[in-house]
Each structure stands twice: as structure tokens, then as C-alpha cells.
Amino acid sequence: MALVSLCMPSRRPLATAKPSIDNMIAYARARGCRLIISDNSDDLDKAGYYAQACDVATVLQNPGAGPLDNLMRTVEAADTPFILPVGDDDFIEEVAGAPMLDLARLPADCVGARPSVVIFAQGEPELRRLDYALPEDTAVDRFHAYAQRRGGCNSLYYSFFRRDSFLAVHEPYWRRRRTVIGDFDWAVTTSLLFEGKVVHDPSTLYRYDLGRWRRQASIDATVRSFYLDAGLPDWAAKFDTLFKYIDIYVTTQRPSLQMSDLDRLKALYTATIALLGSLLRNAAQNAERYRGFEDYVAEIKAAVTDPNDDLSSVFDACARIAGRMKPGFEDELHQWLAATRAAH
């Protein structure tokens, strides 16, 4: 039985997705993996073309699906204990001579294994290489270690994760939230790190295409589009760490996350200081950028600095601010929190 399913949501037409998908098929055959593609491109030629790879590949037709649903259909269809999310513009390869990690022997306190990652862009085959593990014993230490080692990107998302853990941390978004902001993957990786350690697998190299994340103008436009697509004003991107905090707060409440109450509280305090503290520092150093939003900043500061707070009022303050950006959003966030806590 295969241990790993490569899970690829694909919206690119065959002409542009073919090099990546062919590469994933070759890796799957070499490693005894499965490749599951959920396709929302409406390109009927893709399914026919990849029928010849049915020994390792399954293509699901998912017309009209959004990005999250397209990914989660692949994870839901996987019947392997581990999954690796992959992009249809990325590449993966075996590293000759490197010791192979046996995922079947991964310790119970590890949530996944991280391949070596090369960040590249068109015309620039290697911008940087990231080879690291996150073996720290506590959730707080892993949170800090990732902040130091990630190199400004969230490539940890493209790791071999235990399928059940990956599915559980996504379900609060997929099943129980109406408004999903496009950079929710930061909260997903944080919640997975809270769950367990991540080892390094030097025998696999993942090549991540930086694409629209290569230039600052494109980065800014992409982030603004996340908020506009979610029905929020584009200026909500000024408060991106507030939304990351909301997401981490809620996903850390899921019953499937095996943490003691004390460790959960420590992890959330760490996220509060890192994310909301960053927002407050940014607002203090860039007053012009936050002109007109001083009351938002003051409300966050008051909640964060309340010595008697158990963090629930910090979440409440963040939800109130989000509700001013989109009617009904505050109630939606509280309902999302309650549904996540009640899930089994």
C-alpha cells in the first residue's frame, strides 16, 4: 500500500500544467506514491491525456470549485496515511545519494516531514534553498524557530503531513467558514506546528515557483485581491496579521488538536505577541499608513495590554474590527469559533 498521495488542485490548462503534472507522475512512479488531481480548469483534454497514467494518477473533475475546495477534494480522496500538497506549476525530484526517510517509522510526536525546497522564478532557477527541520519540543519553540528559518515564505505548507492532521486543520475553513481569506495557509501551518514536530527529508527536493510572489507590486496586488475576493475592502490588507491571529486562535481551538490547556494558552499568547505586536509596531512606525484607522489600532492595543485578559477579549476585539469591514462578519467569526470548538 502507498504511504503518500501527492494532492494537486489544478486550474491551469493542459498546455501549461503538463510539465509539472508529468514530473509529479514520474516521481509517484519512482516512489510508489499516488497522484490525485482535482481539476477545475474545464479543460476536457486533461483527463483524457492523463488516463495513460491511471496506474498512479487519479483525476477528479471539479468544475466551478474554488481553490480551497479543489485542494480538499484531493485530500478527501486520498487513502494514504500521508499527503503532500503540490502545485500544478511546481516540480519534485528524488535527490541522488541522499538517505531516504521512512515515513512509516515517523515518531508519533511528528506531524510531518519537510522536503528540501528550492525557491525559483522564471529565468532564475534558484533564488534560495531551504533545508531545515523543526524538531523543537514545544509548540512555542517551534513557532519561533519557523519564524527564524522560513526565509519569508510559507513553503512548509508543501510538506509530507499526516493526512488526518492536514484534513482536520483545514476542515474549520472548508466545512464551517463562509468567508475565507486567501492567505489562510499561514494559520494552517502554524496550527500543524502546534500539533507536532517536523523532520527534514533530504531525499526529496521540492521546487516552488515563486510566480506572482516574486515582485513587490505583484505581492501587494495579490494580497489585496485576497481581501476583495472575500468581500472585504482592499485596505483590510493593512490588518493582515489581525486576520492571521483570528485564524490561528480558532484553529487552535479544534478538539482534534492534542494539547493541554496550558500548552494551548502558551501557544496562543505567543501568537498574540508575535502577530498583534507586529501590527502595533507597524502602526507606530508607519503612522501615515494607518491614518484614519487609529481607533482600530487603539482597540487592539487596549485588548492586548489588558493584564486580566484570558485572550478571549482579544479575539472579541479582533472580530469587532473585522465586522466593521464587512457587515455580519463579526457574528460569522463567533459562529465559526463555536462550531470549531464543538466539532468532533
Side-chain angles (χ1 to χ4, degrees), residues 8 87 90 105 118 125 128-129 133 137 168 191 197 200 222 243 259 268 276 286 293-294 303 317 322 324 328 332 336:
M8 176 188 283
D90 297 336
R105 297 177 179 273
V118 165
R128 61 184 179 274
R129 184 183 179 114
D137 288 328
S191 188
K197 303 174 183 178
H200 176 223
T222 298
F243 288 99
M259 296 179 75
L268 283 174
L276 299 184
N286 301 277
F293 302 101
E294 291 87 353
R324 293 176 202 150
E332 179 188 333
W336 183 44

Side-chain angles (χ1 to χ4, degrees), residues 6 17-28 90-93:
L6 309 180
K18 182 179 180 297
S20 178
I21 298 177
D22 283 350
N23 164 262
M24 301 289 175
I25 288 172
Y27 177 89
D90 297 336
F91 298 88
I92 192 169
E93 61 192 65

Side-chain angles (χ1 to χ4, degrees), residues 214-272:
R214 178 70 181 105
R215 308 293 178 191
Q216 191 60 51
S218 176
I219 293 172
D220 293 343
T222 298
V223 172
R224 287 195 300 271
S225 74
F226 288 158
Y227 291 88
L228 290 171
D229 290 348
L232 293 155
D234 63 353
W235 55 258
K238 301 175 191 287
F239 294 89
D240 63 323
T241 53
L242 177 144
F243 288 99
K244 287 182 173 65
Y245 178 75
I246 288 173
D247 285 4
I248 290 170
Y249 185 94
V250 174
T251 56
T252 305
Q253 307 297 314
R254 58 191 172 93
S256 62
L257 179 56
Q258 299 299 311
M259 296 179 75
S260 69
D261 290 342
L262 179 59
D263 286 343
R264 198 182 305 258
L265 190 60
K266 287 179 179 177
L268 283 174
Y269 266 110
T270 300
T272 304

